[in-house]
Amino acid sequence: MIMSTKKFLLEEKDIPTAWYNIAADMKNKPRPILNPATKQPISEEDLYPLFAKSLAHQELNQSDPWIEIPEEVRDLYKIWRPTPLVRAYGLEKALDTPAHIYFKNESVSPVGSHKLNSAIAQAYFCKKEGVTNITTETGAGQWGAALSYAAKAFGLELAVYMVKISYHQKPYRRSIMQTFGAQVIASPSMSTKAGRKILTDNPNYQGSLGTAISEAVELALQTPNCKYTLGSVLSHVMLHQTVIGLEAEKQMEMAGEYPDVVIGCFGGGSNFSGISFPFLRHKILEGKEIRVVAAEPSSCPKLTRGHFQYDFGDEAGYTPLIPMYTLGHSFSPAHIHAGGLRYHGAGSIVSQLRTDGYVEAVDIKQLDTFEAAILFSQTEGIIPAPESSHAIAAAIQEAKMAKLEGKQRTILFNLSGHGLIDMTAYDQYLEGDLTNYDLTDQELSKSLDELEQIIK
Amino acid sequence: MIMSTKKFLLEEKDIPTAWYNIAADMKNKPRPILNPATKQPISEEDLYPLFAKSLAHQELNQSDPWIEIPEEVRDLYKIWRPTPLVRAYGLEKALDTPAHIYFKNESVSPVGSHKLNSAIAQAYFCKKEGVTNITTETGAGQWGAALSYAAKAFGLELAVYMVKISYHQKPYRRSIMQTFGAQVIASPSMSTKAGRKILTDNPNYQGSLGTAISEAVELALQTPNCKYTLGSVLSHVMLHQTVIGLEAEKQMEMAGEYPDVVIGCFGGGSNFSGISFPFLRHKILEGKEIRVVAAEPSSCPKLTRGHFQYDFGDEAGYTPLIPMYTLGHSFSPAHIHAGGLRYHGAGSIVSQLRTDGYVEAVDIKQLDTFEAAILFSQTEGIIPAPESSHAIAAAIQEAKMAKLEGKQRTILFNLSGHGLIDMTAYDQYLEGDLTNYDLTDQELSKSLDELEQIIK
């Protein structure tokens, strides 16, 4: 039953004035990103052709714990931030648990997800440095939609390479991007050398995120005043997302509680890092007892079953080498509905925190995520994105454990987005047409073996 | 360009404690609803078989200006209310107008529209009176989605008859209803006598709102402990929606301005009444100078071109006779994307206010609504529902007039819902596949002539 609820609301003045850069506080720093040819650490200057200088600086900054949020970015955050923290009474009652469950509601952003927190920051720094055009890739379209909004806010021209199969099968987010004025190109396309080569070899190829990255990077490099942007994995993206956790900290204080466990779903790490890093700060600096849990799909379980080693960020092997928990960059996850979690690796910071024991991970089966999503919809009244449903399922597991143990436990999870544009997935679930797609040991060994042979 | 904005935010304690019943203050009362057989006014008791008693009482109440909002309803309103009032700086700048434009953002509700304001109230009163099951009809699905949410909040079983063509062509809102636990039945169906008759005569009939109403009414009458509900036209629905305007009044005061003109899009009148009645109160009681404008589609222009007379509320002629501006209950509007505005008549209160000169109306062409919607998306960052885009287009016309006259003008419109589930419509507009569908004089005469012949 949907119940009356308790929202903890901040005022505009409470929007954080600085992002939290966890790398500055980590005892074991994230290992450097390497140039694949020389195996030497990448420098800031090496990143300039692709990224705005400020973003390149943020990417490698391991010394300043606080990075000031420019006033122009804060002003745009005010359109929807601060976002509510909600006590999930309806869900608690349905679970009959002694646990207190809170969620940070990032679904209230104008594009429906947390992705806008970094999109606005990236567009701002590009604009400030005189960039006129930006490119990116998108799969299901959450990141592309957010960047289209941000590009329109700063008057930048945006080209989005959208994986061809999604371009045709998920027209809603494509239309949202176009409504905001972005150019959306089905990838592979004839607009780049990489795309033309693939189309020549295989005219019917339906695209992949790896190909779309290659196209977006190529276009950025060949266009004057143009930079490339991306929505997860890299450290500057995690940095921008920390507004989520910084607000949540203040709101938990308003609620008079401190979380025992903080949960985020996990694809490349952007919303997970956003909700958890500000809380982890107190664990790192003060030894505060708090658990942090990444909820990933059992079809793409890099943190629970992958290896921690250098790997490429993209399928084609064009990017620098990143130290990551990975399933291998050639790993092709099953077509689960949580498109945003179908990525083979974790960003370098989360990977280091994971190996150092600061981050736990659980893998969730697809059917369990939809069961959790239906329960959440029918008790909290918000239909969650399939990605966010992984965090909900993990929170429910924690609440059930609390009941078994007969102990109170304070649970905080991030509701990274709503699922109003993902109703096809719900339809299939309600019709009984979905399955679990768990990764088998055999598939995992094969993918990791390939990785070993490629990366020496 | 999307710009930083100014939001006027109220606190939970500012959610109105009473709905405003404008009928009590009107000098010329709305004419009574008639029993079509006897031509006598319908009594409260006549409505009991269909509606909860409290709602029947509200429907005919013309004496109490304030109806207390039950605490349980206010508690659920707190989930998303108060909604923001926003100063549309981006839109103002794009129009280079001296006008100040404000919008009340009802799109932030968990189901994406204002419909929830009445759905929660109706479900509450049904529950309170021991009702266990409710029925309704829905076209595009905004009302059905809202009622599904409300039914889940009060533990009621809900059956929604959804027009068959929408059931198949607009699966997203159907899935939303099912996710909230409602039974959704494509209408015509085999579950009612009315449906069976139509299917026998015409097995391929794709349904109409009129047929869906007949089915929902029949099921309600034949099911123990079951009532029928609806999302617009009737006076008690308008009543519940006045929370919109009551909040907006306080927020305009925070902004230090008073609107010269208040605008809402117009289908049956629910969101229009909600935003405008609290402002009209001061015009009626104190002679305050304020204009109130209903924005309706040029394909379905009942207030601008219809007749004011008694007519049936449904296509089949099963309902009581309602005094309304109407195009004739057999009028079949073109298939514009603003499905919520495709209704042949206006509710009795608005019709009386219109004939008494309190309400103006403008008709807007479909292509103009999409042009307005794209401009609003690219300046305010919110993709509006096709229905709401009629109000935006009317607000833009007012702002352009202000510019021509070189005068400041304060404009307030209601953003009744977002368009994230209507992206197919945007797609067609961006592809150049839409057209205007203006009602011709010939079509209008034909429909009104038919009406004259039927209603004596």
Side-chain angles (χ1 to χ4, degrees):
Chain A
M1 199 178 286
I2 297 167
M3 288 175 65
S4 170
T5 190
K6 180 82 192 146
K7 287 182 296 189
F8 299 91
L9 299 174
L10 298 169
E11 296 175 38
E12 283 182 0
K13 66 175 174 50
D14 299 315
I15 295 173
T17 53
W19 292 301
Y20 173 55
N21 178 21
I22 198 170
D25 286 334
M26 287 165 68
K27 285 161 194 163
N28 299 326
K29 301 294 180 198
R31 296 176 203 172
I33 295 171
L34 303 181
N35 179 322
T38 64
K39 301 278 159 59
Q40 291 303 304
I42 292 276
S43 71
E44 243 179 79
E45 290 72 18
D46 291 337
L47 296 173
Y48 289 172
L50 267 190
F51 298 111
K53 289 177 186 176
S54 314
L55 297 171
H57 182 70
Q58 289 170 11
E59 182 62 29
L60 301 184
N61 186 335
Q62 299 190 346
S63 50
D64 302 315
W66 298 100
I67 310 290
E68 193 187 337
I69 303 178
E71 208 47 51
E72 294 88 337
V73 172
R74 275 189 94 239
D75 272 352
L76 284 164
Y77 280 172
K78 285 177 192 167
I79 292 175
W80 78 102
R81 304 206 70 85
T83 62
L85 179 82
V86 183
R87 173 81 183 264
Y89 283 120
L91 182 59
E92 287 175 19
K93 190 176 173 196
L95 295 170
D96 186 26
T97 173
H100 296 184
I101 308 177
Y102 294 83
F103 62 92
K104 179 71 169 162
N105 187 358
E106 289 291 304
S107 80
V108 299
S109 103
V111 294
S113 84
H114 72 290
K115 289 288 187 191
L116 203 50
N117 297 323
S118 185
I120 284 177
Q122 293 187 47
Y124 165 78
F125 287 112
C126 286
K127 179 71 178 185
K128 196 180 159 205
E129 295 177 18
V131 169
T132 55
N133 293 57
I134 55 179
T135 72
T136 201
E137 73 284 337
T138 201
Q142 287 273 30
W143 168 247
L147 194 65
S148 301
Y149 181 107
K152 184 51 72 178
F154 288 103
L156 297 168
E157 292 295 323
L158 167 63
V160 181
Y161 286 92
M162 186 172 190
V163 176
K164 189 177 275 179
I165 191 164
S166 296
Y167 184 93
H168 292 297
Q169 287 183 352
K170 305 200 171 191
Y172 273 48
R173 284 214 183 84
R174 184 198 78 213
S175 304
I176 290 173
M177 293 184 257
Q178 290 169 330
T179 297
F180 285 134
Q183 291 289 326
V184 187
I185 308 120
S187 169
S189 76
M190 293 300 282
S191 67
T192 64
K193 212 162 67 179
R196 286 190 295 274
K197 179 170 186 324
I198 289 166
L199 284 174
T200 308
D201 295 349
N202 181 357
N204 294 320
Y205 185 56
Q206 290 302 300
S208 73
L209 211 52
T211 303
I213 294 176
S214 308
E215 291 205 278
V217 165
E218 185 183 322
L219 186 70
L221 291 173
Q222 302 207 336
T223 307
N225 259 332
C226 186
K227 299 291 171 192
Y228 166 73
T229 66
L230 85 179
S232 192
V233 183
L234 292 188
S235 300
H236 66 277
V237 184
M238 312 295 158
L239 175 75
H240 304 149
Q241 294 293 352
T242 56
V243 290
I244 303 172
L246 292 168
E247 286 181 6
E249 261 197 299
K250 289 188 199 173
Q251 290 164 309
M252 289 301 303
E253 206 175 303
M254 287 169 76
E257 300 209 56
Y258 199 85
D260 296 303
V261 55
V262 177
I263 300 169
C265 65
F266 200 92
S270 76
N271 99 86
F272 169 80
S273 303
I275 187 84
S276 68
F277 285 1
F279 290 95
L280 273 177
R281 174 167 176 261
H282 301 288
K283 183 161 185 162
I284 293 173
L285 297 180
E286 304 143 28
K288 182 112 188 163
E289 283 213 20
I290 184 168
R291 292 169 51 224
V292 166
V293 177
E296 55 183 13
S298 58
S299 56
C300 192
K302 54 238 162 200
L303 288 172
T304 42
R305 296 169 67 195
H307 283 190
F308 184 34
Q309 63 174 89
Y310 276 99
D311 194 2
F312 292 108
D314 67 323
E315 200 182 322
Y318 294 164
T319 71
L321 288 167
I322 304 172
M324 42 167 55
Y325 272 86
T326 180
L327 299 167
H329 61 274
S330 61
F331 176 74
S332 177
H335 281 278
I336 55 166
H337 279 284
L341 307 187
R342 295 175 72 249
Y343 186 73
H344 68 279
S348 63
I349 293 179
V350 170
S351 292
Q352 188 63 44
L353 291 169
R354 166 80 172 136
T355 203
D356 290 343
Y358 286 103
V359 166
E360 300 173 33
V362 291
D363 62 327
I364 314 271
K365 293 173 192 292
Q366 174 158 276
L367 292 179
D368 292 342
T369 69
F370 278 93
E371 190 186 332
I374 299 285
L375 182 62
F376 186 76
S377 300
Q378 297 195 357
T379 53
E380 295 299 321
I382 302 169
I383 298 179
E387 291 83 359
S388 316
S389 303
H390 289 71
I392 298 171
I396 289 172
Q397 284 182 3
E398 292 286 336
K400 286 182 174 169
M401 280 301 297
K403 186 179 178 184
L404 277 176
E405 293 169 6
K407 279 192 202 160
Q408 203 279 313
R409 184 181 299 201
T410 301
I411 301 164
L412 167 64
F413 73 86
N414 193 35
L415 183 73
S416 56
H418 66 64
L420 293 181
I421 303 177
D422 303 281
M423 293 315 298
T424 309
Y426 282 85
D427 227 19
Q428 292 180 7
Y429 174 72
L430 292 170
E431 296 283 338
D433 288 344
L434 288 191
T435 178
N436 270 330
Y437 298 120
D438 301 333
L439 182 66
T440 65
D441 285 339
Q442 205 177 1
E443 289 164 336
L444 179 63
S445 305
K446 182 167 171 288
S447 174
L448 290 173
D449 282 353
E450 281 173 15
L451 175 64
E452 299 300 331
Q453 286 160 21
I454 297 163
I455 314 273
K456 292 289 171 195
Chain B
M1 197 178 288
I2 298 166
M3 288 175 65
S4 171
T5 192
K6 180 81 192 148
K7 285 182 296 187
F8 298 92
L9 300 175
L10 298 169
E11 296 174 39
E12 284 182 0
K13 67 175 173 51
D14 300 315
I15 295 173
T17 53
W19 293 300
Y20 173 54
N21 178 22
I22 198 170
D25 286 334
M26 287 165 68
K27 284 162 195 163
N28 300 325
K29 301 294 180 199
R31 296 176 204 172
I33 295 172
L34 303 181
N35 179 321
T38 64
K39 300 279 160 57
Q40 291 303 304
I42 291 276
S43 71
E44 245 181 79
E45 290 70 19
D46 291 337
L47 296 172
Y48 289 174
L50 268 188
F51 298 112
K53 289 178 185 176
S54 316
L55 297 170
H57 182 70
Q58 290 170 11
E59 182 61 28
L60 301 184
N61 186 335
Q62 299 189 348
S63 51
D64 303 316
W66 299 101
I67 309 290
E68 193 187 338
I69 304 177
E71 208 47 50
E72 293 87 338
V73 173
R74 275 188 93 239
D75 272 352
L76 284 164
Y77 280 173
K78 286 178 193 165
I79 292 176
W80 79 102
R81 304 205 72 85
T83 63
L85 179 82
V86 182
R87 171 84 182 262
Y89 283 121
L91 182 59
E92 287 176 20
K93 190 176 173 196
L95 296 170
D96 187 25
T97 174
H100 295 184
I101 308 176
Y102 294 83
F103 63 92
K104 180 72 169 162
N105 188 358
E106 289 291 304
S107 79
V108 300
S109 102
V111 294
S113 84
H114 72 291
K115 289 289 187 192
L116 204 50
N117 298 323
S118 185
I120 284 177
Q122 292 187 47
Y124 166 78
F125 288 112
C126 286
K127 179 70 179 186
K128 197 181 159 205
E129 296 177 17
V131 170
T132 54
N133 293 56
I134 54 178
T135 72
T136 200
E137 71 286 337
T138 201
Q142 287 274 30
W143 167 248
L147 194 65
S148 301
Y149 181 106
K152 184 49 74 178
F154 288 103
L156 297 169
E157 292 296 322
L158 168 64
V160 182
Y161 285 93
M162 186 173 190
V163 176
K164 191 177 274 179
I165 191 164
S166 296
Y167 183 93
H168 292 298
Q169 286 183 353
K170 304 199 172 190
Y172 274 47
R173 285 214 183 85
R174 185 198 78 216
S175 304
I176 290 172
M177 293 183 258
Q178 290 169 330
T179 298
F180 285 133
Q183 291 289 326
V184 187
I185 307 120
S187 168
S189 76
M190 294 300 283
S191 67
T192 64
K193 211 162 64 176
R196 285 192 295 274
K197 176 168 187 331
I198 288 166
L199 284 174
T200 308
D201 295 348
N202 182 356
N204 294 320
Y205 184 56
Q206 290 302 298
S208 73
L209 211 50
T211 304
I213 293 177
S214 308
E215 292 206 277
V217 166
E218 184 183 325
L219 186 69
L221 291 173
Q222 303 208 335
T223 306
N225 259 332
C226 185
K227 299 291 171 191
Y228 166 72
T229 66
L230 86 178
S232 194
V233 182
L234 293 190
S235 301
H236 66 276
V237 183
M238 311 299 158
L239 175 76
H240 304 149
Q241 293 294 351
T242 56
V243 288
I244 303 172
L246 292 168
E247 285 180 8
E249 262 196 299
K250 290 188 199 173
Q251 290 165 309
M252 288 302 301
E253 204 176 305
M254 288 168 76
E257 300 209 57
Y258 199 84
D260 297 302
V261 56
V262 177
I263 300 168
C265 64
F266 200 91
S270 76
N271 99 87
F272 169 79
S273 304
I275 186 86
S276 68
F277 285 1
F279 289 96
L280 274 177
R281 174 167 176 262
H282 302 288
K283 184 163 185 161
I284 293 172
L285 297 181
E286 303 144 29
K288 182 114 190 164
E289 283 212 21
I290 185 168
R291 292 170 51 225
V292 166
V293 178
E296 54 184 12
S298 58
S299 55
C300 192
K302 53 236 161 202
L303 288 173
T304 43
R305 297 169 67 196
H307 283 192
F308 183 35
Q309 64 176 85
Y310 275 98
D311 194 3
F312 291 107
D314 67 323
E315 202 183 321
Y318 294 165
T319 70
L321 288 168
I322 303 172
M324 41 166 57
Y325 272 87
T326 179
L327 299 167
H329 62 272
S330 60
F331 176 74
S332 177
H335 280 278
I336 55 165
H337 279 284
L341 307 187
R342 295 176 72 253
Y343 185 72
H344 68 279
S348 63
I349 293 179
V350 170
S351 292
Q352 189 62 44
L353 291 169
R354 167 80 173 135
T355 204
D356 289 343
Y358 287 103
V359 166
E360 300 172 35
V362 291
D363 62 325
I364 314 270
K365 292 171 190 294
Q366 173 158 275
L367 292 179
D368 291 344
T369 68
F370 278 94
E371 191 186 331
I374 299 285
L375 182 63
F376 186 76
S377 300
Q378 296 195 358
T379 53
E380 295 299 322
I382 302 169
I383 298 178
E387 290 84 1
S388 317
S389 303
H390 288 69
I392 299 171
I396 289 173
Q397 284 182 3
E398 293 286 336
K400 285 182 175 171
M401 280 301 295
K403 187 179 177 184
L404 277 176
E405 294 169 5
K407 279 191 202 159
Q408 204 277 313
R409 183 180 299 201
T410 301
I411 301 164
L412 167 65
F413 73 87
N414 192 35
L415 183 73
S416 56
H418 66 64
L420 293 181
I421 302 176
D422 304 281
M423 293 315 300
T424 310
Y426 281 86
D427 227 20
Q428 291 179 7
Y429 173 74
L430 292 170
E431 296 283 338
D433 289 344
L434 288 191
T435 180
N436 271 330
Y437 299 117
D438 302 333
L439 182 66
T440 65
D441 286 338
Q442 204 177 1
E443 288 165 335
L444 180 62
S445 305
K446 181 168 172 290
S447 175
L448 290 173
D449 284 350
E450 280 174 18
L451 176 62
E452 298 301 329
Q453 287 162 21
I454 297 165
I455 314 273
K456 294 289 170 193

